[in-house]
Amino acid sequence: MDMKTRVCLELRHRAPSEVQELVLDNCRATEGKIEGITDEFSNLERLSLINAGLTSVADVPKLDKLKKLELSDNRISSGLEVLAERLVNLTHLNLSGNKFKDISTLEPLKKLPQLKSLDLFNCEVTNLADYRESIFKLLPQLTYLDGYDVDDCESDSDGEGDGVDDDEEEECESEDFEEEEEEDEEDVVAEEDDDDSGDEEQDGEVNGDLDSEDEDEEEEDDEDSSPAKGEKRKRDAEDEDDDDDDSGQTL
């Protein structure tokens, strides 16, 4: 499918100014040039033209809000000056799988002050000695080259890095806050359970103490009653002796 037809299909009855992302991967560019995309796409932020048979970007329109441009697996070898002139807010540029051989062909990118991520995988320029050091020196505004920063630390979110939207950051912060609230609630429930079990243990100890006190009181009562029983038996024996004496005198 040619690029113009694909653009019409991707619009889906929308005005060009309503489109923020446009994916035209694997379509065919006539004579290797960009077609069907105009400056009417004034709110376009992401444009993907992977494997579209491009040999030139000379016909890219002025898109002030474009941040991410995917041009991998084409046959582009030069002419990046137009990107610096018309895509002034570009932050992510993927040129992997193209025909760039020399560092000098990338010099126009110096005029893109917002450029944070550049991909050049499978380009001949990556085979040059000190390739990474040379690119970071040429483009000091870069944070990531081929997915890694100057210290070889891998980028987040497939090289998005600083390009994460504020809404996404707020959503992540909201999720973290919710998780913290859930953890706090779980801690409170655990503490309440501990308090309940502690109260039960205290109740058990109190009941045990009361039971032991009752037992002690019963034992004391038994001890107090024992002498009284002994005295009664003694009196009974004396009475029997008196009876015997009386009967002897009578005889």
Side-chain angles (χ1 to χ4, degrees):
M1 182 183 297
D2 65 83
M3 191 175 294
K4 282 185 177 180
T5 303
R6 180 68 177 276
V7 170
C8 291
L9 289 176
E10 292 295 330
L11 280 174
R12 300 170 187 171
H13 306 293
R14 294 175 296 175
S17 59
E18 298 175 353
V19 179
Q20 292 183 318
E21 182 175 8
L22 189 60
V23 179
L24 305 174
D25 300 346
N26 302 311
C27 65
R28 292 295 95 191
T30 304
E31 298 181 357
K33 298 179 180 179
I34 295 175
E35 302 173 296
I37 305 173
T38 68
D39 55 9
E40 292 179 349
F41 288 86
S42 55
N43 291 308
L44 192 64
E45 295 182 2
R46 299 189 179 192
L47 175 61
S48 185
L49 292 164
I50 299 172
N51 189 33
L54 293 172
T55 58
S56 171
V57 291
D59 293 318
V60 67
K62 184 174 178 60
L63 302 170
D64 289 339
K65 292 189 177 181
L66 193 71
K67 295 180 179 180
K68 186 173 183 178
L69 178 61
E70 293 277 355
L71 293 172
S72 58
D73 299 327
N74 285 288
R75 292 175 289 139
I76 304 167
S77 60
S78 61
L80 299 181
E81 293 86 358
V82 68
L83 300 185
E85 295 172 1
R86 301 176 186 175
L87 309 177
V88 294
N89 289 309
L90 198 65
T91 60
H92 296 76
L93 177 61
N94 191 339
L95 296 172
S96 58
N98 279 279
K99 304 298 182 180
F100 295 97
K101 298 179 180 180
D102 303 316
I103 297 290
S104 60
T105 59
L106 303 170
E107 286 189 10
L109 301 180
K110 292 192 296 184
K111 297 180 180 180
L112 288 171
Q114 305 299 323
L115 189 64
K116 300 300 181 184
S117 176
L118 175 64
D119 287 309
L120 293 166
F121 283 121
N122 295 325
C123 292
E124 290 185 42
V125 68
T126 61
N127 297 324
L128 297 176
D130 300 325
Y131 152 70
R132 290 183 60 81
E133 291 80 358
S134 299
I135 295 295
F136 277 116
K137 183 177 180 180
L138 176 69
L139 306 172
Q141 75 272 36
L142 275 187
T143 301
Y144 298 107
L145 175 62
D146 300 331
Y148 291 84
D149 65 14
V150 68
D151 296 320
D152 288 332
C153 294
E154 190 172 3
S155 64
D156 298 329
S157 303
D158 298 327
E160 292 293 334
D162 297 335
V164 177
D165 294 335
D166 292 339
D167 292 340
E168 294 177 357
E169 290 181 352
E170 291 177 359
E171 182 177 352
C172 292
E173 291 176 358
S174 177
E175 292 177 356
D176 292 340
F177 181 72
E178 290 176 358
E179 291 178 358
E180 290 177 359
E181 282 190 334
E182 291 177 358
E183 292 176 357
D184 292 340
E185 290 177 358
E186 292 176 357
D187 292 340
V188 170
V189 171
E191 289 177 0
E192 291 178 351
D193 292 340
D194 291 341
D195 292 340
D196 293 340
S197 62
D199 293 340
E200 291 177 358
E201 291 178 358
Q202 291 178 358
D203 292 341
E205 291 176 358
V206 171
N207 292 333
D209 292 341
L210 293 175
D211 292 340
S212 61
E213 289 177 359
D214 293 340
E215 292 176 358
D216 292 341
E217 290 178 357
E218 290 178 359
E219 290 177 358
E220 291 176 357
D221 292 340
D222 291 341
E223 291 176 356
D224 293 341
S225 63
S226 294
K229 291 179 180 178
E231 291 178 357
K232 182 179 181 182
R233 284 194 294 269
K234 185 177 180 180
R235 288 196 296 272
D236 292 340
E238 292 175 353
D239 292 341
E240 288 179 359
D241 291 341
D242 293 340
D243 292 339
D244 290 341
D245 293 339
D246 294 339
S247 61
Q249 291 177 359
T250 303
L251 292 175

